[in-house]
Amino acid sequence: MALSRTAYVNLLRAQAGYHEGRDPSGNWNNQQKFSPAVPGLEWSQGQAWCHVFVSWGADELDARDVIPITASCATGVSWWKKRGRWTDYPVLGAPFYMGSAGQDHVGVVYKYDADSIWTIEGNTNNNGSYQGDGVYHRVRPRRGAGSPYGYGVPDFTEETVSADPNLGGTKAATVPTATPGDEVNSTPPTQEKPMTPAEIQAVADAVWNYQLPNLRTDGTQDGTKKSAYWWLIWQDVFQAQLLAAINEAALTPDDVRQALADGTLKVQLTVKAA
């Protein structure tokens, strides 16, 4: 069955903020809604579920032949390679695989540029753990430490968009956000304008006194708080990404611009961080 890149990515992104269950002691337990919903993967309930999430999206859209239906990242990598649909370069809308052989973790790319990939991932957390607690938007480096092992190349209904020179060599691209009534197959990938220094300063001014929970390295709160401005100046490379990470708000630069223009940035952060 045919699979639209835009439909697939936006279905997965719509799950951001979903969390797995907890055991009687309050610990995350890998019990989630995706395993029981995918025929053949019901057995994976209670196990690591990052690839189940990726497979669930394809199954929901009746495209089990376009994305590997498996709970195993290693099996997923093998599936792509056997079909000759594998690359070392980002592919828009495609699964990316982490680990020395791609065995550790998987998510889906919804945006990339020369340095980074923007992703939607299951079984991760704000710190990018391979054993997390829910569905999150993340930003990961394209190269070096913490970068993917490689990428599958799905046969979407839209033309393949990839940084791979053999697949068009598109330097940067974004999957558009679908709205009700849109023909999701018809909108081409768009590129997002970076934030200007003045806009970055406006964000800092808007959230100067907004207090956010301080997180330990394992993602748990340590009981203290720091202002959002402290977070902004601590990591000033991807300002909108940082806001997304600390608030689970997934705000893009365009979202921030609109919120600043509307005067609603504080309100958005307060609601989404609550």
Side-chain angles (χ1 to χ4, degrees):
M1 184 71 179
L3 179 62
S4 160
R5 173 176 54 232
T6 306
Y8 177 61
V9 169
N10 281 295
L11 174 62
L12 296 181
R13 293 192 70 187
Q15 308 307 308
Y18 173 83
H19 291 281
E20 63 189 41
R22 294 180 183 269
D23 63 23
S25 298
N27 300 311
W28 300 110
N29 62 7
N30 282 326
Q31 297 288 319
Q32 30 68 37
K33 67 180 181 180
F34 305 107
S35 290
V38 183
L41 297 185
E42 298 91 344
W43 63 269
S44 66
Q45 182 70 289
Q47 308 296 317
W49 51 277
C50 57
H51 210 302
V52 173
F53 174 63
V54 170
S55 300
W56 168 84
D59 182 69
E60 285 289 296
L61 296 173
D62 196 21
R64 293 171 65 96
D65 58 340
V66 181
I67 302 290
I69 306 300
T70 178
S72 165
C73 292
T75 299
V77 170
S78 177
W79 189 95
W80 294 110
K81 289 186 173 181
K82 285 180 179 178
R83 288 160 177 77
R85 305 193 69 87
W86 182 259
T87 179
D88 296 332
Y89 295 84
V91 178
L92 197 64
F96 69 93
Y97 292 81
M98 304 293 293
S100 60
Q103 75 280 6
D104 289 339
H105 184 64
V106 65
V108 168
V109 177
Y110 69 83
K111 173 183 174 180
Y112 70 86
D113 64 14
D115 301 310
S116 305
I117 58 171
W118 283 253
T119 67
I120 183 70
E121 307 173 27
N123 197 29
T124 188
N125 60 20
N126 273 331
N127 293 324
S129 170
Y130 299 166
Q131 287 291 336
D133 55 67
V135 180
Y136 291 79
H137 290 91
R138 296 287 306 150
V139 181
R140 296 184 182 271
R142 274 186 54 177
R143 304 172 188 84
S147 63
Y149 167 70
Y151 306 78
V153 185
D155 185 15
F156 290 124
T157 54
E158 303 96 329
E159 182 180 1
T160 297
V161 177
S162 173
D164 189 332
N166 295 319
L167 296 172
T170 303
K171 294 181 179 180
T174 306
V175 175
T177 302
T179 56
D182 280 352
E183 291 295 332
V184 294
N185 292 343
S186 63
T187 307
T190 58
Q191 297 186 34
E192 191 173 84
K193 180 182 177 182
M195 294 177 70
T196 66
E199 289 170 333
I200 293 168
Q201 185 59 54
V203 173
D205 291 343
V207 297
W208 179 281
N209 293 317
Y210 185 73
Q211 297 292 302
L212 297 163
N214 194 33
L215 302 180
R216 301 185 181 94
T217 56
D218 64 358
T220 60
Q221 297 181 14
D222 68 6
T224 64
K225 292 187 176 183
K226 287 185 170 66
S227 74
Y229 181 69
W230 184 91
W231 289 100
L232 284 165
I233 61 174
W234 183 253
Q235 296 186 30
D236 63 352
V237 179
F238 295 110
Q239 287 79 12
Q241 168 206 346
L242 182 60
L243 287 171
I246 60 178
N247 297 290
E248 298 181 26
L251 294 175
T252 68
D254 285 344
D255 292 333
V256 174
R257 289 190 190 93
Q258 186 61 51
L260 287 171
D262 295 344
T264 60
L265 183 62
K266 278 189 176 180
V267 174
Q268 287 194 28
L269 296 184
T270 302
V271 171
K272 293 181 180 180

